[in-house]
PDB file of all heavy atoms in Angstrom:
ATOM      1  N   ASN A   1       7.656   2.123   4.648  1.00 92.00           N
ATOM      2  CA  ASN A   1       8.279   2.123   3.321  1.00 92.00           C
ATOM      3  C   ASN A   1       7.623   3.116   2.378  1.00 92.00           C
ATOM      4  O   ASN A   1       7.721   3.004   1.161  1.00 92.00           O
ATOM      5  CB  ASN A   1       8.233   0.718   2.712  1.00 92.00           C
ATOM      6  CG  ASN A   1       6.821   0.247   2.438  1.00 92.00           C
ATOM      7  OD1 ASN A   1       5.863   0.823   2.943  1.00 92.00           O
ATOM      8  ND2 ASN A   1       6.683  -0.808   1.642  1.00 92.00           N
ATOM      9  N   GLY A   2       6.962   4.109   2.931  1.00 89.00           N
ATOM     10  CA  GLY A   2       6.341   5.168   2.153  1.00 89.00           C
ATOM     11  C   GLY A   2       5.690   6.157   3.095  1.00 89.00           C
ATOM     12  O   GLY A   2       5.387   5.822   4.250  1.00 89.00           O
ATOM     13  N   SER A   3       5.473   7.363   2.645  1.00 86.00           N
ATOM     14  CA  SER A   3       4.912   8.395   3.518  1.00 86.00           C
ATOM     15  C   SER A   3       3.382   8.393   3.547  1.00 86.00           C
ATOM     16  O   SER A   3       2.776   8.923   4.474  1.00 86.00           O
ATOM     17  CB  SER A   3       5.411   9.776   3.081  1.00 86.00           C
ATOM     18  OG  SER A   3       5.032  10.031   1.727  1.00 86.00           O
ATOM     19  N   GLU A   4       2.756   7.770   2.536  1.00 88.00           N
ATOM     20  CA  GLU A   4       1.297   7.772   2.467  1.00 88.00           C
ATOM     21  C   GLU A   4       0.679   6.872   3.547  1.00 88.00           C
ATOM     22  O   GLU A   4       1.252   5.853   3.922  1.00 88.00           O
ATOM     23  CB  GLU A   4       0.832   7.304   1.088  1.00 88.00           C
ATOM     24  CG  GLU A   4       1.314   8.185  -0.063  1.00 88.00           C
ATOM     25  CD  GLU A   4       2.694   7.799  -0.562  1.00 88.00           C
ATOM     26  OE1 GLU A   4       3.314   6.891   0.042  1.00 88.00           O
ATOM     27  OE2 GLU A   4       3.159   8.412  -1.539  1.00 88.00           O
ATOM     28  N   PRO A   5      -0.497   7.230   4.052  1.00 84.00           N
ATOM     29  CA  PRO A   5      -1.151   6.467   5.122  1.00 84.00           C
ATOM     30  C   PRO A   5      -1.401   4.991   4.780  1.00 84.00           C
ATOM     31  O   PRO A   5      -1.395   4.140   5.665  1.00 84.00           O
ATOM     32  CB  PRO A   5      -2.474   7.205   5.322  1.00 84.00           C
ATOM     33  CG  PRO A   5      -2.215   8.594   4.845  1.00 84.00           C
ATOM     34  CD  PRO A   5      -1.252   8.453   3.711  1.00 84.00           C
ATOM     35  N   HIS A   6      -1.627   4.690   3.493  1.00 87.00           N
ATOM     36  CA  HIS A   6      -1.968   3.320   3.109  1.00 87.00           C
ATOM     37  C   HIS A   6      -0.739   2.442   2.872  1.00 87.00           C
ATOM     38  O   HIS A   6      -0.863   1.265   2.541  1.00 87.00           O
ATOM     39  CB  HIS A   6      -2.819   3.335   1.837  1.00 87.00           C
ATOM     40  CG  HIS A   6      -2.096   3.885   0.638  1.00 87.00           C
ATOM     41  ND1 HIS A   6      -2.045   5.238   0.362  1.00 87.00           N
ATOM     42  CD2 HIS A   6      -1.371   3.272  -0.343  1.00 87.00           C
ATOM     43  CE1 HIS A   6      -1.333   5.427  -0.736  1.00 87.00           C
ATOM     44  NE2 HIS A   6      -0.913   4.256  -1.197  1.00 87.00           N
ATOM     45  N   LYS A   7       0.473   2.996   3.038  1.00 88.00           N
ATOM     46  CA  LYS A   7       1.685   2.242   2.742  1.00 88.00           C
ATOM     47  C   LYS A   7       1.960   1.178   3.807  1.00 88.00           C
ATOM     48  O   LYS A   7       1.484   1.239   4.934  1.00 88.00           O
ATOM     49  CB  LYS A   7       2.885   3.189   2.670  1.00 88.00           C
ATOM     50  CG  LYS A   7       2.957   4.015   1.405  1.00 88.00           C
ATOM     51  CD  LYS A   7       3.355   3.141   0.214  1.00 88.00           C
ATOM     52  CE  LYS A   7       3.586   3.982  -1.026  1.00 88.00           C
ATOM     53  NZ  LYS A   7       4.081   3.176  -2.144  1.00 88.00           N
ATOM     54  N   GLY A   8       2.764   0.186   3.421  1.00 87.00           N
ATOM     55  CA  GLY A   8       3.207  -0.828   4.380  1.00 87.00           C
ATOM     56  C   GLY A   8       2.308  -2.038   4.450  1.00 87.00           C
ATOM     57  O   GLY A   8       1.267  -2.115   3.799  1.00 87.00           O
ATOM     58  N   ASP A   9       2.725  -2.979   5.306  1.00 90.00           N
ATOM     59  CA  ASP A   9       1.937  -4.199   5.496  1.00 90.00           C
ATOM     60  C   ASP A   9       0.800  -3.942   6.479  1.00 90.00           C
ATOM     61  O   ASP A   9       0.574  -2.811   6.923  1.00 90.00           O
ATOM     62  CB  ASP A   9       2.843  -5.335   5.978  1.00 90.00           C
ATOM     63  CG  ASP A   9       3.606  -4.971   7.247  1.00 90.00           C
ATOM     64  OD1 ASP A   9       3.251  -3.968   7.904  1.00 90.00           O
ATOM     65  OD2 ASP A   9       4.559  -5.686   7.587  1.00 90.00           O
ATOM     66  N   THR A  10       0.100  -5.017   6.834  1.00 93.00           N
ATOM     67  CA  THR A  10      -1.055  -4.881   7.727  1.00 93.00           C
ATOM     68  C   THR A  10      -0.666  -4.268   9.063  1.00 93.00           C
ATOM     69  O   THR A  10      -1.381  -3.414   9.603  1.00 93.00           O
ATOM     70  CB  THR A  10      -1.695  -6.266   7.957  1.00 93.00           C
ATOM     71  OG1 THR A  10      -2.097  -6.816   6.709  1.00 93.00           O
ATOM     72  CG2 THR A  10      -2.915  -6.149   8.876  1.00 93.00           C
ATOM     73  N   LEU A  11       0.477  -4.693   9.614  1.00 93.00           N
ATOM     74  CA  LEU A  11       0.939  -4.159  10.895  1.00 93.00           C
ATOM     75  C   LEU A  11       1.074  -2.640  10.838  1.00 93.00           C
ATOM     76  O   LEU A  11       0.587  -1.927  11.725  1.00 93.00           O
ATOM     77  CB  LEU A  11       2.281  -4.788  11.275  1.00 93.00           C
ATOM     78  CG  LEU A  11       3.017  -4.137  12.454  1.00 93.00           C
ATOM     79  CD1 LEU A  11       2.217  -4.303  13.734  1.00 93.00           C
ATOM     80  CD2 LEU A  11       4.420  -4.716  12.606  1.00 93.00           C
ATOM     81  N   HIS A  12       1.734  -2.145   9.817  1.00 94.00           N
ATOM     82  CA  HIS A  12       1.977  -0.706   9.738  1.00 94.00           C
ATOM     83  C   HIS A  12       0.697   0.077   9.428  1.00 94.00           C
ATOM     84  O   HIS A  12       0.510   1.191   9.931  1.00 94.00           O
ATOM     85  CB  HIS A  12       3.052  -0.419   8.692  1.00 94.00           C
ATOM     86  CG  HIS A  12       4.419  -0.834   9.122  1.00 94.00           C
ATOM     87  ND1 HIS A  12       4.855  -2.137   9.048  1.00 94.00           N
ATOM     88  CD2 HIS A  12       5.433  -0.128   9.672  1.00 94.00           C
ATOM     89  CE1 HIS A  12       6.093  -2.217   9.518  1.00 94.00           C
ATOM     90  NE2 HIS A  12       6.466  -1.012   9.898  1.00 94.00           N
ATOM     91  N   GLN A  13      -0.181  -0.486   8.639  1.00 94.00           N
ATOM     92  CA  GLN A  13      -1.451   0.193   8.362  1.00 94.00           C
ATOM     93  C   GLN A  13      -2.310   0.271   9.618  1.00 94.00           C
ATOM     94  O   GLN A  13      -2.923   1.316   9.901  1.00 94.00           O
ATOM     95  CB  GLN A  13      -2.192  -0.536   7.238  1.00 94.00           C
ATOM     96  CG  GLN A  13      -1.506  -0.408   5.881  1.00 94.00           C
ATOM     97  CD  GLN A  13      -2.210  -1.198   4.790  1.00 94.00           C
ATOM     98  OE1 GLN A  13      -3.373  -1.565   4.933  1.00 94.00           O
ATOM     99  NE2 GLN A  13      -1.524  -1.458   3.698  1.00 94.00           N
ATOM    100  N   GLU A  14      -2.358  -0.814  10.384  1.00 95.00           N
ATOM    101  CA  GLU A  14      -3.130  -0.817  11.635  1.00 95.00           C
ATOM    102  C   GLU A  14      -2.517   0.152  12.645  1.00 95.00           C
ATOM    103  O   GLU A  14      -3.239   0.883  13.342  1.00 95.00           O
ATOM    104  CB  GLU A  14      -3.179  -2.225  12.227  1.00 95.00           C
ATOM    105  CG  GLU A  14      -4.039  -3.197  11.433  1.00 95.00           C
ATOM    106  CD  GLU A  14      -4.041  -4.587  12.044  1.00 95.00           C
ATOM    107  OE1 GLU A  14      -3.330  -4.797  13.072  1.00 95.00           O
ATOM    108  OE2 GLU A  14      -4.743  -5.459  11.523  1.00 95.00           O
ATOM    109  N   THR A  15      -1.184   0.139  12.731  1.00 96.00           N
ATOM    110  CA  THR A  15      -0.506   1.037  13.670  1.00 96.00           C
ATOM    111  C   THR A  15      -0.764   2.491  13.304  1.00 96.00           C
ATOM    112  O   THR A  15      -0.993   3.336  14.176  1.00 96.00           O
ATOM    113  CB  THR A  15       1.016   0.765  13.675  1.00 96.00           C
ATOM    114  OG1 THR A  15       1.248  -0.607  14.017  1.00 96.00           O
ATOM    115  CG2 THR A  15       1.713   1.656  14.686  1.00 96.00           C
ATOM    116  N   TYR A  16      -0.723   2.788  12.008  1.00 95.00           N
ATOM    117  CA  TYR A  16      -0.983   4.157  11.549  1.00 95.00           C
ATOM    118  C   TYR A  16      -2.350   4.636  12.037  1.00 95.00           C
ATOM    119  O   TYR A  16      -2.480   5.757  12.541  1.00 95.00           O
ATOM    120  CB  TYR A  16      -0.908   4.223  10.025  1.00 95.00           C
ATOM    121  CG  TYR A  16      -0.982   5.629   9.472  1.00 95.00           C
ATOM    122  CD1 TYR A  16       0.172   6.297   9.062  1.00 95.00           C
ATOM    123  CD2 TYR A  16      -2.202   6.306   9.362  1.00 95.00           C
ATOM    124  CE1 TYR A  16       0.121   7.592   8.568  1.00 95.00           C
ATOM    125  CE2 TYR A  16      -2.272   7.596   8.877  1.00 95.00           C
ATOM    126  CZ  TYR A  16      -1.105   8.231   8.487  1.00 95.00           C
ATOM    127  OH  TYR A  16      -1.169   9.520   8.009  1.00 95.00           O
ATOM    128  N   GLN A  17      -3.353   3.804  11.875  1.00 95.00           N
ATOM    129  CA  GLN A  17      -4.703   4.197  12.291  1.00 95.00           C
ATOM    130  C   GLN A  17      -4.788   4.432  13.799  1.00 95.00           C
ATOM    131  O   GLN A  17      -5.428   5.395  14.253  1.00 95.00           O
ATOM    132  CB  GLN A  17      -5.711   3.108  11.875  1.00 95.00           C
ATOM    133  CG  GLN A  17      -5.888   2.959  10.370  1.00 95.00           C
ATOM    134  CD  GLN A  17      -6.325   4.250   9.698  1.00 95.00           C
ATOM    135  OE1 GLN A  17      -7.207   4.950  10.204  1.00 95.00           O
ATOM    136  NE2 GLN A  17      -5.724   4.569   8.561  1.00 95.00           N
ATOM    137  N   LEU A  18      -4.137   3.577  14.573  1.00 96.00           N
ATOM    138  CA  LEU A  18      -4.151   3.744  16.031  1.00 96.00           C
ATOM    139  C   LEU A  18      -3.457   5.043  16.441  1.00 96.00           C
ATOM    140  O   LEU A  18      -3.948   5.785  17.296  1.00 96.00           O
ATOM    141  CB  LEU A  18      -3.462   2.559  16.713  1.00 96.00           C
ATOM    142  CG  LEU A  18      -4.186   1.215  16.677  1.00 96.00           C
ATOM    143  CD1 LEU A  18      -3.332   0.138  17.346  1.00 96.00           C
ATOM    144  CD2 LEU A  18      -5.541   1.303  17.392  1.00 96.00           C
ATOM    145  N   LEU A  19      -2.317   5.311  15.831  1.00 96.00           N
ATOM    146  CA  LEU A  19      -1.566   6.514  16.188  1.00 96.00           C
ATOM    147  C   LEU A  19      -2.304   7.776  15.754  1.00 96.00           C
ATOM    148  O   LEU A  19      -2.295   8.787  16.462  1.00 96.00           O
ATOM    149  CB  LEU A  19      -0.171   6.469  15.545  1.00 96.00           C
ATOM    150  CG  LEU A  19       0.774   5.389  16.067  1.00 96.00           C
ATOM    151  CD1 LEU A  19       2.065   5.366  15.246  1.00 96.00           C
ATOM    152  CD2 LEU A  19       1.097   5.611  17.541  1.00 96.00           C
ATOM    153  N   GLU A  20      -2.931   7.716  14.611  1.00 95.00           N
ATOM    154  CA  GLU A  20      -3.666   8.880  14.104  1.00 95.00           C
ATOM    155  C   GLU A  20      -4.835   9.239  15.019  1.00 95.00           C
ATOM    156  O   GLU A  20      -5.212  10.417  15.130  1.00 95.00           O
ATOM    157  CB  GLU A  20      -4.168   8.597  12.686  1.00 95.00           C
ATOM    158  CG  GLU A  20      -4.725   9.830  11.980  1.00 95.00           C
ATOM    159  CD  GLU A  20      -5.100   9.540  10.541  1.00 95.00           C
ATOM    160  OE1 GLU A  20      -5.699   8.477  10.285  1.00 95.00           O
ATOM    161  OE2 GLU A  20      -4.782  10.374   9.678  1.00 95.00           O
ATOM    162  N   ASN A  21      -5.392   8.243  15.680  1.00 94.00           N
ATOM    163  CA  ASN A  21      -6.553   8.473  16.546  1.00 94.00           C
ATOM    164  C   ASN A  21      -6.178   8.717  18.006  1.00 94.00           C
ATOM    165  O   ASN A  21      -7.063   8.854  18.854  1.00 94.00           O
ATOM    166  CB  ASN A  21      -7.511   7.274  16.465  1.00 94.00           C
ATOM    167  CG  ASN A  21      -8.156   7.147  15.097  1.00 94.00           C
ATOM    168  OD1 ASN A  21      -8.476   8.155  14.457  1.00 94.00           O
ATOM    169  ND2 ASN A  21      -8.350   5.922  14.629  1.00 94.00           N
ATOM    170  N   LEU A  22      -4.881   8.766  18.301  1.00 93.00           N
ATOM    171  CA  LEU A  22      -4.433   8.983  19.677  1.00 93.00           C
ATOM    172  C   LEU A  22      -4.187  10.476  19.897  1.00 93.00           C
ATOM    173  O   LEU A  22      -3.230  11.046  19.376  1.00 93.00           O
ATOM    174  CB  LEU A  22      -3.150   8.178  19.949  1.00 93.00           C
ATOM    175  CG  LEU A  22      -2.647   8.164  21.385  1.00 93.00           C
ATOM    176  CD1 LEU A  22      -3.659   7.508  22.314  1.00 93.00           C
ATOM    177  CD2 LEU A  22      -1.311   7.432  21.466  1.00 93.00           C
ATOM    178  N   ASP A  23      -5.046  11.096  20.680  1.00 91.00           N
ATOM    179  CA  ASP A  23      -4.989  12.548  20.849  1.00 91.00           C
ATOM    180  C   ASP A  23      -3.831  13.013  21.729  1.00 91.00           C
ATOM    181  O   ASP A  23      -3.444  14.186  21.674  1.00 91.00           O
ATOM    182  CB  ASP A  23      -6.305  13.061  21.458  1.00 91.00           C
ATOM    183  CG  ASP A  23      -7.495  12.862  20.525  1.00 91.00           C
ATOM    184  OD1 ASP A  23      -7.275  12.858  19.293  1.00 91.00           O
ATOM    185  OD2 ASP A  23      -8.626  12.706  21.024  1.00 91.00           O
ATOM    186  N   SER A  24      -3.287  12.118  22.549  1.00 91.00           N
ATOM    187  CA  SER A  24      -2.289  12.536  23.531  1.00 91.00           C
ATOM    188  C   SER A  24      -0.897  12.733  22.947  1.00 91.00           C
ATOM    189  O   SER A  24       0.007  13.212  23.633  1.00 91.00           O
ATOM    190  CB  SER A  24      -2.208  11.510  24.675  1.00 91.00           C
ATOM    191  OG  SER A  24      -1.809  10.237  24.188  1.00 91.00           O
ATOM    192  N   ILE A  25      -0.678  12.367  21.679  1.00 95.00           N
ATOM    193  CA  ILE A  25       0.635  12.547  21.049  1.00 95.00           C
ATOM    194  C   ILE A  25       0.506  13.358  19.762  1.00 95.00           C
ATOM    195  O   ILE A  25      -0.585  13.456  19.182  1.00 95.00           O
ATOM    196  CB  ILE A  25       1.321  11.195  20.741  1.00 95.00           C
ATOM    197  CG1 ILE A  25       0.536  10.421  19.676  1.00 95.00           C
ATOM    198  CG2 ILE A  25       1.499  10.357  21.997  1.00 95.00           C
ATOM    199  CD1 ILE A  25       1.270   9.206  19.134  1.00 95.00           C
ATOM    200  N   ASN A  26       1.619  13.901  19.323  1.00 97.00           N
ATOM    201  CA  ASN A  26       1.678  14.681  18.088  1.00 97.00           C
ATOM    202  C   ASN A  26       2.184  13.774  16.971  1.00 97.00           C
ATOM    203  O   ASN A  26       3.362  13.778  16.623  1.00 97.00           O
ATOM    204  CB  ASN A  26       2.604  15.883  18.288  1.00 97.00           C
ATOM    205  CG  ASN A  26       2.821  16.674  17.010  1.00 97.00           C
ATOM    206  OD1 ASN A  26       1.999  16.647  16.094  1.00 97.00           O
ATOM    207  ND2 ASN A  26       3.944  17.380  16.945  1.00 97.00           N
ATOM    208  N   PHE A  27       1.271  12.982  16.414  1.00 97.00           N
ATOM    209  CA  PHE A  27       1.629  12.040  15.358  1.00 97.00           C
ATOM    210  C   PHE A  27       1.699  12.761  14.022  1.00 97.00           C
ATOM    211  O   PHE A  27       0.730  13.372  13.576  1.00 97.00           O
ATOM    212  CB  PHE A  27       0.606  10.908  15.291  1.00 97.00           C
ATOM    213  CG  PHE A  27       0.889   9.882  14.222  1.00 97.00           C
ATOM    214  CD1 PHE A  27       2.107   9.230  14.166  1.00 97.00           C
ATOM    215  CD2 PHE A  27      -0.080   9.572  13.269  1.00 97.00           C
ATOM    216  CE1 PHE A  27       2.379   8.291  13.178  1.00 97.00           C
ATOM    217  CE2 PHE A  27       0.167   8.620  12.289  1.00 97.00           C
ATOM    218  CZ  PHE A  27       1.400   7.984  12.240  1.00 97.00           C
ATOM    219  N   ILE A  28       2.879  12.685  13.361  1.00 97.00           N
ATOM    220  CA  ILE A  28       3.074  13.409  12.097  1.00 97.00           C
ATOM    221  C   ILE A  28       3.010  12.488  10.879  1.00 97.00           C
ATOM    222  O   ILE A  28       3.239  12.927   9.756  1.00 97.00           O
ATOM    223  CB  ILE A  28       4.406  14.181  12.102  1.00 97.00           C
ATOM    224  CG1 ILE A  28       5.595  13.215  12.232  1.00 97.00           C
ATOM    225  CG2 ILE A  28       4.422  15.218  13.229  1.00 97.00           C
ATOM    226  CD1 ILE A  28       6.953  13.877  12.027  1.00 97.00           C
ATOM    227  N   GLY A  29       2.711  11.191  11.105  1.00 96.00           N
ATOM    228  CA  GLY A  29       2.557  10.272   9.986  1.00 96.00           C
ATOM    229  C   GLY A  29       3.752   9.364   9.779  1.00 96.00           C
ATOM    230  O   GLY A  29       4.588   9.187  10.666  1.00 96.00           O
ATOM    231  N   ASN A  30       3.821   8.774   8.591  1.00 96.00           N
ATOM    232  CA  ASN A  30       4.917   7.856   8.253  1.00 96.00           C
ATOM    233  C   ASN A  30       6.207   8.615   7.955  1.00 96.00           C
ATOM    234  O   ASN A  30       6.180   9.766   7.501  1.00 96.00           O
ATOM    235  CB  ASN A  30       4.550   7.022   7.021  1.00 96.00           C
ATOM    236  CG  ASN A  30       3.491   5.980   7.321  1.00 96.00           C
ATOM    237  OD1 ASN A  30       3.436   5.431   8.414  1.00 96.00           O
ATOM    238  ND2 ASN A  30       2.635   5.708   6.337  1.00 96.00           N
ATOM    239  N   ILE A  31       7.316   7.947   8.187  1.00 96.00           N
ATOM    240  CA  ILE A  31       8.622   8.480   7.821  1.00 96.00           C
ATOM    241  C   ILE A  31       9.400   7.364   7.138  1.00 96.00           C
ATOM    242  O   ILE A  31       9.337   6.206   7.563  1.00 96.00           O
ATOM    243  CB  ILE A  31       9.381   9.006   9.064  1.00 96.00           C
ATOM    244  CG1 ILE A  31      10.727   9.622   8.659  1.00 96.00           C
ATOM    245  CG2 ILE A  31       9.587   7.920  10.090  1.00 96.00           C
ATOM    246  CD1 ILE A  31      11.468  10.260   9.822  1.00 96.00           C
ATOM    247  N   GLU A  32      10.089   7.694   6.053  1.00 95.00           N
ATOM    248  CA  GLU A  32      10.921   6.711   5.373  1.00 95.00           C
ATOM    249  C   GLU A  32      12.337   6.754   5.928  1.00 95.00           C
ATOM    250  O   GLU A  32      12.767   7.751   6.521  1.00 95.00           O
ATOM    251  CB  GLU A  32      10.917   6.982   3.878  1.00 95.00           C
ATOM    252  CG  GLU A  32       9.549   6.764   3.234  1.00 95.00           C
ATOM    253  CD  GLU A  32       9.596   6.885   1.722  1.00 95.00           C
ATOM    254  OE1 GLU A  32      10.047   5.914   1.071  1.00 95.00           O
ATOM    255  OE2 GLU A  32       9.192   7.939   1.202  1.00 95.00           O
ATOM    256  N   ALA A  33      13.071   5.678   5.733  1.00 93.00           N
ATOM    257  CA  ALA A  33      14.395   5.537   6.336  1.00 93.00           C
ATOM    258  C   ALA A  33      15.363   6.638   5.920  1.00 93.00           C
ATOM    259  O   ALA A  33      16.226   7.041   6.708  1.00 93.00           O
ATOM    260  CB  ALA A  33      14.982   4.167   6.003  1.00 93.00           C
ATOM    261  N   ASP A  34      15.210   7.144   4.696  1.00 92.00           N
ATOM    262  CA  ASP A  34      16.146   8.173   4.237  1.00 92.00           C
ATOM    263  C   ASP A  34      15.908   9.530   4.900  1.00 92.00           C
ATOM    264  O   ASP A  34      16.675  10.477   4.703  1.00 92.00           O
ATOM    265  CB  ASP A  34      16.100   8.316   2.710  1.00 92.00           C
ATOM    266  CG  ASP A  34      14.753   8.781   2.192  1.00 92.00           C
ATOM    267  OD1 ASP A  34      13.771   8.749   2.961  1.00 92.00           O
ATOM    268  OD2 ASP A  34      14.662   9.178   1.020  1.00 92.00           O
ATOM    269  N   GLN A  35      14.851   9.632   5.690  1.00 94.00           N
ATOM    270  CA  GLN A  35      14.539  10.876   6.400  1.00 94.00           C
ATOM    271  C   GLN A  35      14.990  10.853   7.864  1.00 94.00           C
ATOM    272  O   GLN A  35      14.949  11.890   8.540  1.00 94.00           O
ATOM    273  CB  GLN A  35      13.028  11.140   6.358  1.00 94.00           C
ATOM    274  CG  GLN A  35      12.455  11.304   4.963  1.00 94.00           C
ATOM    275  CD  GLN A  35      12.960  12.547   4.278  1.00 94.00           C
ATOM    276  OE1 GLN A  35      12.863  13.647   4.822  1.00 94.00           O
ATOM    277  NE2 GLN A  35      13.500  12.397   3.078  1.00 94.00           N
ATOM    278  N   LEU A  36      15.420   9.701   8.340  1.00 93.00           N
ATOM    279  CA  LEU A  36      15.694   9.549   9.768  1.00 93.00           C
ATOM    280  C   LEU A  36      16.711  10.551  10.298  1.00 93.00           C
ATOM    281  O   LEU A  36      16.513  11.138  11.373  1.00 93.00           O
ATOM    282  CB  LEU A  36      16.182   8.119  10.047  1.00 93.00           C
ATOM    283  CG  LEU A  36      15.136   7.006   9.974  1.00 93.00           C
ATOM    284  CD1 LEU A  36      15.794   5.642  10.138  1.00 93.00           C
ATOM    285  CD2 LEU A  36      14.078   7.211  11.051  1.00 93.00           C
ATOM    286  N   LEU A  37      17.806  10.752   9.583  1.00 91.00           N
ATOM    287  CA  LEU A  37      18.886  11.600  10.085  1.00 91.00           C
ATOM    288  C   LEU A  37      18.673  13.083   9.790  1.00 91.00           C
ATOM    289  O   LEU A  37      19.503  13.904  10.170  1.00 91.00           O
ATOM    290  CB  LEU A  37      20.223  11.148   9.489  1.00 91.00           C
ATOM    291  CG  LEU A  37      20.629   9.689   9.727  1.00 91.00           C
ATOM    292  CD1 LEU A  37      22.047   9.449   9.225  1.00 91.00           C
ATOM    293  CD2 LEU A  37      20.525   9.324  11.201  1.00 91.00           C
ATOM    294  N   LYS A  38      17.563  13.419   9.154  1.00 92.00           N
ATOM    295  CA  LYS A  38      17.313  14.810   8.773  1.00 92.00           C
ATOM    296  C   LYS A  38      16.609  15.616   9.858  1.00 92.00           C
ATOM    297  O   LYS A  38      16.357  16.815   9.690  1.00 92.00           O
ATOM    298  CB  LYS A  38      16.506  14.860   7.474  1.00 92.00           C
ATOM    299  CG  LYS A  38      17.267  14.301   6.271  1.00 92.00           C
ATOM    300  CD  LYS A  38      16.460  14.397   4.993  1.00 92.00           C
ATOM    301  CE  LYS A  38      17.250  13.846   3.809  1.00 92.00           C
ATOM    302  NZ  LYS A  38      16.488  13.913   2.552  1.00 92.00           N
ATOM    303  N   GLY A  39      16.243  14.941  10.960  1.00 91.00           N
ATOM    304  CA  GLY A  39      15.646  15.659  12.078  1.00 91.00           C
ATOM    305  C   GLY A  39      14.186  16.013  11.905  1.00 91.00           C
ATOM    306  O   GLY A  39      13.698  16.964  12.512  1.00 91.00           O
ATOM    307  N   VAL A  40      13.462  15.245  11.088  1.00 95.00           N
ATOM    308  CA  VAL A  40      12.051  15.569  10.842  1.00 95.00           C
ATOM    309  C   VAL A  40      11.126  14.994  11.918  1.00 95.00           C
ATOM    310  O   VAL A  40       9.950  15.358  11.973  1.00 95.00           O
ATOM    311  CB  VAL A  40      11.603  15.061   9.452  1.00 95.00           C
ATOM    312  CG1 VAL A  40      12.421  15.727   8.360  1.00 95.00           C
ATOM    313  CG2 VAL A  40      11.720  13.551   9.354  1.00 95.00           C
ATOM    314  N   ALA A  41      11.643  14.103  12.766  1.00 96.00           N
ATOM    315  CA  ALA A  41      10.838  13.520  13.848  1.00 96.00           C
ATOM    316  C   ALA A  41      11.681  13.419  15.111  1.00 96.00           C
ATOM    317  O   ALA A  41      12.909  13.319  15.054  1.00 96.00           O
ATOM    318  CB  ALA A  41      10.319  12.142  13.443  1.00 96.00           C
ATOM    319  N   ASP A  42      11.017  13.462  16.249  1.00 97.00           N
ATOM    320  CA  ASP A  42      11.695  13.352  17.545  1.00 97.00           C
ATOM    321  C   ASP A  42      11.592  11.947  18.121  1.00 97.00           C
ATOM    322  O   ASP A  42      12.480  11.501  18.855  1.00 97.00           O
ATOM    323  CB  ASP A  42      11.084  14.339  18.546  1.00 97.00           C
ATOM    324  CG  ASP A  42      11.117  15.765  18.031  1.00 97.00           C
ATOM    325  OD1 ASP A  42      12.219  16.237  17.717  1.00 97.00           O
ATOM    326  OD2 ASP A  42      10.049  16.391  17.925  1.00 97.00           O
ATOM    327  N   VAL A  43      10.500  11.263  17.809  1.00 97.00           N
ATOM    328  CA  VAL A  43      10.266   9.885  18.256  1.00 97.00           C
ATOM    329  C   VAL A  43       9.884   9.068  17.034  1.00 97.00           C
ATOM    330  O   VAL A  43       8.932   9.419  16.327  1.00 97.00           O
ATOM    331  CB  VAL A  43       9.132   9.802  19.307  1.00 97.00           C
ATOM    332  CG1 VAL A  43       8.916   8.349  19.747  1.00 97.00           C
ATOM    333  CG2 VAL A  43       9.426  10.700  20.503  1.00 97.00           C
TER     334      VAL A  43
END
């Protein structure tokens, strides 16, 4: 529900930290729902 790393509930904050520390993927951060159809992310 926001692009900043600290946004969201505990689940999303914990997930953000795990994804940010995973070297095997190209994690670009949070995405808000209004950005989904704009092609800014592949997964």
